[in-house]
């Protein structure tokens, strides 16, 4: 369809996909078409406008990113050839870079970890690369290793009557992009969203581009609590929340007694867990997209599609899943895998990679209200929790 490819081009997503010295890639145009359908369904339930193209390409617009082929637009992830295919490895955290010698089973670090990783991966099957990376907690994925899948929904507690979002309390324990985007959409729809962060490990995007952090979190209350010393206070918040969003590995919360089964029941509560995969591996948006097979095409192999595209796609899908659960009365656990979401979009029809349409760079989203400083709303959140406890007494 001409309109599908032209929309992909005008959104900035074609500009972000393809080889750096080649033309923009239009092959994944149906990804935007499907995202617009999800955004439309979400917008109707929220009563607000939801711009799918802006959500998918907005970070790149803010940061001035461009297509880099087998280097992700953000620079932290690379597509590497293996003995039997392709894999993606992400070195976004200092710990990831520090783990490279152990990953390579080398005695010393190298000045250029990517050259060493490229040589190492080329001699191994993609599965061996991802298995060893998982042992060392380094994000990695084999191309297309994950199948498409819908959100996993299971009964968690008593259902309520179908409810609107306005007036509900959302505890957002997630970080980075996918979970915070879901929380942002719920906040725009009228929910009171509390962004929960640890003073020892606040959301990593606070230290990055401030405009992006504000975009994702500008309409949320900021609540800072130590996940160990302040465990009782945190449990009190989760006990009165109507929706919980979390993106940590399940074991990290379970050992603190913060699993959905360990928190005091609340009629209609929805517990949303966003993960990279359905296992315990770490993931970021670019490697999760590769795991799902959501890549662009080039004559000599795959290239990255968009900017960490599994993140905003998952945030959109997760928000719609929460809204649909509210329509059923809640009382549900919802598990959303970024890689499975990416695989669902990867299964859509593809188009010719080269098209006769303009492909301008992505635009930054409109300015957002400044996000609250870390813990700026602690007193207000404590009052809110106390009031809700009193109402339930």
């Amino acid at each position: 369809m001409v309109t599908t490819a032209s929309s992909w081009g005008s959104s900035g997503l074609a500009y972000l996909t393809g080889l750096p010295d080649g033309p923009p890639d239009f092959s994944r145009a149906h990804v935007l078409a499907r995202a617009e359908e999800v955004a439309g369904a979400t917008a109707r339930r929220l009563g607000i406008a939801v711009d799918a193209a802006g959500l998918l390409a907005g970070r790149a617009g803010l940061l001035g990113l461009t297509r880099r082929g087998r280097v992700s637009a953000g620079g932290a992830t690379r597509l590497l050839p293996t003995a039997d295919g392709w894999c993606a490895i992400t070195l976004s955290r200092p710990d990831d870079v520090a783990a490279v010698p152990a990953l390579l089973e080398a005695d010393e670090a190298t000045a250029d970890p990517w050259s060493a990783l490229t040589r190492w991966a080329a001699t191994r099957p993609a599965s061996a690369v991802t298995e060893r990376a998982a042992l060392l907690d380094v994000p990695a994925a084999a191309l297309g290793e994950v199948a498409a899948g819908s959100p996993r929904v299971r009964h968690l507690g008593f259902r309520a009557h179908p409810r609107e979002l306005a007036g509900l309390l959302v505890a957002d324990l997630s970080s980075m992009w996918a979970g915070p985007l879901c929380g942002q959409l719920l906040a725009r729809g009228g929910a009171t969203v509390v962004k929960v962060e640890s003073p020892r490990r606040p959301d990593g995007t606070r230290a990055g581009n401030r405009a992006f952090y504000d975009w994702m979190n500008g309409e949320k209350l900021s609540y800072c609590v130590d996940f160990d010393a302040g465990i009782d206070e945190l449990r009190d918040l989760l006990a009165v929340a109507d929706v919980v969003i979390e993106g940590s590995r399940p074991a990290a919360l379970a050992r603190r007694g913060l699993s959905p089964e360990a928190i005091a029941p609340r009629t209609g509560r929805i517990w949303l867990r966003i993960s990279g995969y359905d296992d315990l591996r770490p993931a970021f948006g670019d490697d999760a997209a590769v795991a799902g097979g959501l890549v662009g095409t080039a004559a000599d192999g795959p290239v990255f599609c968009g900017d960490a595209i599994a993140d905003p796609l998952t945030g959109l899908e997760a928000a719609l899943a929460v809204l649909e659960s509210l329509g059923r009365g809640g009382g549900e656990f919802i598990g959303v895998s970024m890689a499975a979401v990416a695989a669902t979009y990867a299964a859509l029809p593809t188009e010719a990679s080269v098209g006769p349409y303009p492909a301008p760079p992505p635009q930054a989203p409109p300015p957002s209200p400044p996000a609250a400083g870390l813990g700026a709303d602690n007193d207000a959140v404590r009052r809110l929790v106390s009031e809700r406890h009193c109402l339930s007494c």
Side-chain angles (χ1 to χ4, degrees), residues 131 198 247 312:
E131 287 168 9
S198 162

Side-chain angles (χ1 to χ4, degrees), residues 195-241:
K195 182 168 182 64
V196 182
E197 296 172 87
S198 162
R200 290 182 286 183
R201 293 191 64 182
D203 188 331
T205 59
R206 275 192 181 272
N209 182 280
R210 183 66 195 196
F212 176 72
Y213 184 84
D214 290 345
W215 183 34
M216 289 296 105
N217 300 289
E219 299 184 61
K220 304 174 187 177
L221 301 175
S222 176
Y223 179 61
C224 182
V225 59
D226 190 292
F227 278 34
D228 294 312
I231 191 68
D232 290 338
E233 196 170 315
L234 181 53
R235 287 172 62 85
D236 286 344
L237 169 61
L238 300 184
V240 299

Side-chain angles (χ1 to χ4, degrees), residues 146-163:
V146 175
S150 301
R152 295 170 289 111
V153 180
R154 62 176 170 84
H155 180 68
L156 182 62
F158 294 109
R159 293 191 187 278
H161 295 294
R163 293 181 291 174

Side-chain angles (χ1 to χ4, degrees), residues 246 248-259 273 280:
E246 55 113 328
S248 303
R249 297 184 207 180
L253 294 180
R255 68 171 176 263
R256 293 178 170 88
L258 298 175
S259 66
R273 176 176 295 154
L280 302 180

Side-chain angles (χ1 to χ4, degrees), residues 270-297:
I270 299 166
W271 193 290
L272 171 69
R273 176 176 295 154
I274 295 175
S275 60
Y277 307 92
D278 287 332
D279 57 24
L280 302 180
R281 283 188 292 165
F284 289 87
D286 285 304
D287 55 87
V290 170
L294 185 51
V295 292
T297 60

Side-chain angles (χ1 to χ4, degrees), residues 51-392:
D51 175 15
L55 294 179
L56 268 58
R59 189 184 82 146
L62 285 170
L63 302 182
L65 304 181
T66 187
R67 61 183 178 278
R68 302 174 67 180
R70 293 187 184 97
V71 177
S72 64
T77 308
R78 299 201 182 187
L79 271 161
L80 305 177
T82 66
D84 61 352
W86 293 84
C87 71
I89 296 178
T90 298
L91 302 180
S92 65
R93 305 167 297 184
D95 287 350
D96 300 328
V97 178
V100 169
L103 185 62
L104 303 176
E105 299 180 85
D107 294 331
E108 298 180 357
T110 62
D112 181 5
W114 286 115
S115 293
L117 284 169
T118 300
R119 293 191 297 271
W120 173 77
T123 64
R124 289 161 172 77
S127 60
V129 172
T130 58
E131 287 168 9
R132 178 144 186 87
L135 289 174
L136 297 165
D137 213 33
V138 175
L143 176 60
E145 66 170 281
V146 175
S150 301
R152 295 170 289 111
V153 180
R154 62 176 170 84
H155 180 68
L156 182 62
F158 294 109
R159 293 191 187 278
H161 295 294
R163 293 181 291 174
E164 299 296 324
L165 186 63
L168 299 188
L169 176 63
V170 178
D172 181 3
L173 280 69
S174 66
S175 62
M176 306 305 286
W177 195 351
L181 172 56
C182 176
Q184 180 235 60
L185 291 169
L186 300 183
R188 290 179 57 205
T192 298
V193 180
V194 177
K195 182 168 182 64
V196 182
E197 296 172 87
S198 162
R200 290 182 286 183
R201 293 191 64 182
D203 188 331
T205 59
R206 275 192 181 272
N209 182 280
R210 183 66 195 196
F212 176 72
Y213 184 84
D214 290 345
W215 183 34
M216 289 296 105
N217 300 289
E219 299 184 61
K220 304 174 187 177
L221 301 175
S222 176
Y223 179 61
C224 182
V225 59
D226 190 292
F227 278 34
D228 294 312
I231 191 68
D232 290 338
E233 196 170 315
L234 181 53
R235 287 172 62 85
D236 286 344
L237 169 61
L238 300 184
V240 299
D242 299 293
V243 179
V244 177
I245 303 171
E246 55 113 328
S248 303
R249 297 184 207 180
L253 294 180
R255 68 171 176 263
R256 293 178 170 88
L258 298 175
S259 66
E261 294 79 13
I263 300 299
R266 181 176 178 81
T267 299
R269 178 188 295 132
I270 299 166
W271 193 290
L272 171 69
R273 176 176 295 154
I274 295 175
S275 60
Y277 307 92
D278 287 332
D279 57 24
L280 302 180
R281 283 188 292 165
F284 289 87
D286 285 304
D287 55 87
V290 170
L294 185 51
V295 292
T297 60
D300 57 348
V303 293
F304 284 105
C305 176
D307 169 34
I309 198 164
D311 268 309
L313 289 176
T314 300
L316 259 176
E317 295 279 350
L320 181 57
V322 168
L323 295 169
E324 290 174 341
S325 181
L326 285 173
R328 295 188 294 266
E332 294 177 336
F333 170 91
I334 304 171
V336 183
S337 155
M338 291 200 298
V341 168
T344 300
Y345 281 81
L348 296 171
T350 56
E351 299 205 6
S353 60
V354 178
Y357 312 106
Q363 299 298 305
S368 303
L374 186 63
D377 300 302
N378 274 16
D379 289 343
V381 172
R382 290 181 183 122
R383 286 194 298 271
L384 182 60
V385 170
S386 178
E387 291 167 0
R388 286 194 153 223
H389 271 301
C390 289
L391 288 173
S392 62

